[in-house]
């Protein structure tokens, strides 16, 4: 006798496939959310590790690293043989982040093995932070993993001869705009870091739990997103930051300004210029960044916003090393108000005109009631 073996019909197989497809469609968003939650946790951990490095540096040297510093040009040899006082505070933090070999490579001279300087000694402290062409300075191309957030898709093409290493975190320069990048005054800005000068934790008279040390910076993924890009040639933003905010359409810069943008934000972790490693807590998180100067001008002052690829906000680390997630809806006060500025080299003191966000950016504005903003 022959047994009758019955298989699945085509209709039954199609039904099973359809059910599996529906289940995958239902589960995929949850999986993606779980992955982003893990990435966001990693970002929070990274910025806290950098904050701890800042505190350990301050404990050792009784001062904070400069936001922009380094070596001066000697004998008119130019930017190839000094870093032109342009390297970032991240370099000073390397020994406190288990990156001492990289720090030593920067400050102890060795011989270039490739590029236009092959056979010549490297300058102590490194050359200018943009010296990466034709091989360039190896440390400037070395990516420190703690400086990168896995949520950020921005990458430099591996074959690019000018490839540079990035950062997703920037130093808080406060709610000042004009002159805050390079001014010689000891009060050139109201944040915790400044060019050429070393502040102290004790300078945060508003309280360390109320004052930002660093905030997230999104890097360019090749699109005209607000993350990564700086819009050039926007006049009068020092007197009306809202002009910069008006250039935003959803999460992008308006198409009319696409040709006036530079992909600088976070583009070089070694570069102390505000466009690369500085943050002004003025416009809310994930807003545009703007320079009043024409392209290219990546070293001057402007409005440089905190940004990230997390939905809804950015991480910051405060002076007590607490990390908070600041949402895009945080109070920013009057964005059409002029930024605090100099009067005969004396900074105007007082509360920030930019609400709770601006208050968290000032070290000594008399704002001691902003610690509740944001979430862990």
């Amino acid at each position: 006798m022959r047994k009758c073996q019955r298989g699945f019909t085509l209709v039954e197989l199609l039904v099973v496939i359809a059910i599996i497809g529906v289940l995958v469609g239902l589960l995929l968003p949850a999986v993606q959310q779980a992955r982003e939650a893990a990435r966001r946790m990693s970002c929070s951990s990274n910025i806290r590790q950098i904050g701890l490095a800042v505190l350990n540096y301050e404990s050792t040297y009784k001062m904070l690293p400069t936001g922009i510093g380094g070596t001066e040009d000697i004998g008119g040899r130019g930017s190839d043989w000094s870093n032109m006082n342009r390297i970032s505070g991240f370099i000073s933090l390397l020994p406190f982040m288990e990156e001492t070999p990289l720090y030593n490579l920067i400050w102890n001279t060795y011989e270039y093995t490739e590029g236009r300087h092959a056979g010549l000694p490297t300058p102590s402290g490194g050359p200018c932070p943009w010296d990466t062409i034709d091989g360039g300075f190896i440390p400037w191309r070395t990516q420190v993993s703690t400086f990168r957030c896995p949520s950020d898709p921005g990458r430099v093409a591996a074959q690019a001869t000018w490839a540079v290493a990035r950062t997703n975190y920037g130093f808080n320069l406060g709610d000042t705009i004009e002159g805050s990048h390079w001014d010689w005054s000891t009060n050139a800005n109201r944040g915790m870091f400044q060019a050429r000068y070393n502040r102290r934790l004790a300078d945060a008279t508003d309280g360390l739990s109320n004052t930002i040390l660093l905030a997230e910076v999104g890097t360019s993924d090749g699109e005209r997103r607000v993350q990564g890009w700086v819009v050039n040639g926007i006049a009068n933003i020092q007197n009306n930051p809202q002009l910069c905010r008006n250039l935003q359409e959803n999460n992008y810069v308006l198409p009319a300004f696409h040709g006036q943008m530079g992909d600088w934000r976070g583009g070089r972790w070694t570069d102390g210029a505000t466009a690369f490693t500085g943050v002004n807590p003025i416009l809310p998180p994930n807003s545009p960044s703007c320079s009043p100067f024409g392209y290219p001008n990546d070293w001057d002052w402007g409005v440089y916003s905190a940004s990230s690829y997390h939905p809804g906000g950015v991480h910051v680390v405060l002076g007590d090393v607490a990390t908070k997630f600041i949402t895009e809806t945080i109070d920013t006060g009057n964005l059409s108000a002029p930024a605090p500025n100099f009067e005969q080299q004396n900074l105007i003191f007082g509360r920030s005109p930019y609400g709770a966000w601006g208050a968290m950016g000032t070290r000594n504005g008399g704002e001691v009631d902003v610690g509740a903003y944001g979430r862990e």
Side-chain angles (χ1 to χ4, degrees), residues 156-353:
V156 174
Q159 71 274 16
T161 58
W162 45 269
V164 289
R166 300 187 175 199
T167 178
N168 287 118
Y169 310 100
F171 295 99
N172 168 32
L173 301 180
D175 62 349
T176 49
I177 298 177
E178 187 174 2
S180 64
H181 70 304
W182 203 240
D183 203 290
W184 286 100
S185 170
T186 56
N187 287 320
N189 62 56
R190 308 210 298 175
M192 288 302 296
F193 297 90
Q194 184 188 330
R196 296 190 176 94
Y197 290 98
N198 301 89
R199 300 204 192 285
R200 301 172 302 150
L201 291 177
D203 293 335
T205 56
D206 290 345
L208 294 177
S209 62
N210 297 322
T211 308
I212 295 171
L213 289 178
L214 299 104
E216 279 192 277
V217 174
T219 70
S220 170
D221 64 351
E223 302 292 334
R224 54 181 178 84
R225 304 178 195 270
V226 294
Q227 297 93 339
W229 293 92
V230 178
V231 186
N232 298 280
I234 309 302
N236 204 41
I237 55 172
Q238 70 273 29
N239 295 315
N240 186 1
Q242 182 67 42
L243 297 175
C244 185
R245 182 79 187 281
N246 292 342
L247 305 181
Q248 185 170 1
E249 184 178 65
N250 297 321
N251 201 40
Y252 292 82
V253 177
L254 291 171
F257 297 92
H258 190 197
Q260 299 170 242
M261 295 194 296
D263 55 346
W264 303 326
R265 299 294 285 142
R268 295 195 288 249
W269 70 264
T270 58
D271 197 328
T274 313
F276 292 95
T277 55
V279 172
N280 301 119
I282 296 174
L283 300 182
N286 296 328
S287 293
S289 295
C290 296
S291 164
F293 306 100
Y295 183 87
N297 194 307
D298 62 8
W299 65 273
D300 226 314
W301 53 268
V303 176
Y304 298 106
S305 301
S307 63
S308 78
Y309 285 87
H310 309 305
V314 300
H315 289 105
V316 302
V317 63
L318 302 174
D320 61 355
V321 202
T323 59
K324 290 185 179 292
F325 189 78
I326 305 299
T327 66
E328 298 169 1
T329 58
I330 188 171
D331 169 43
T332 52
N334 180 12
L335 293 177
S336 297
N341 207 335
F342 294 98
E343 288 184 349
Q344 298 179 349
Q345 296 301 308
N346 293 316
L347 197 67
I348 299 174
F349 293 94
R351 299 180 69 91
S352 173

Side-chain angles (χ1 to χ4, degrees), residues 54 66 100 111 131 163 202 219 224 256 288 299 311:
V54 171
T66 59
T100 300
E111 188 176 283
D131 185 10
T219 70
R224 54 181 178 84
W299 65 273

Side-chain angles (χ1 to χ4, degrees), residues 61-121:
Y61 296 107
K62 311 306 177 187
M63 59 186 178
L64 301 177
T66 59
I68 312 172
T71 57
E72 293 277 5
D73 181 18
I74 299 175
R77 301 181 71 184
S79 59
D80 287 337
W81 302 109
S82 79
N83 51 55
M84 308 293 285
N85 249 324
R86 178 79 177 256
I87 57 176
S88 75
F90 288 122
I91 293 170
S92 297
L93 298 179
L94 292 176
F96 301 91
M97 300 174 60
E98 299 183 355
E99 294 288 347
T100 300
L102 180 57
Y103 179 83
N104 291 338
L105 193 62
I106 293 170
W107 285 100
N108 298 331
T109 61
Y110 65 97
E111 188 176 283
Y112 281 108
T113 58
E114 55 184 323
R116 65 184 186 277
H117 300 318
L120 297 174

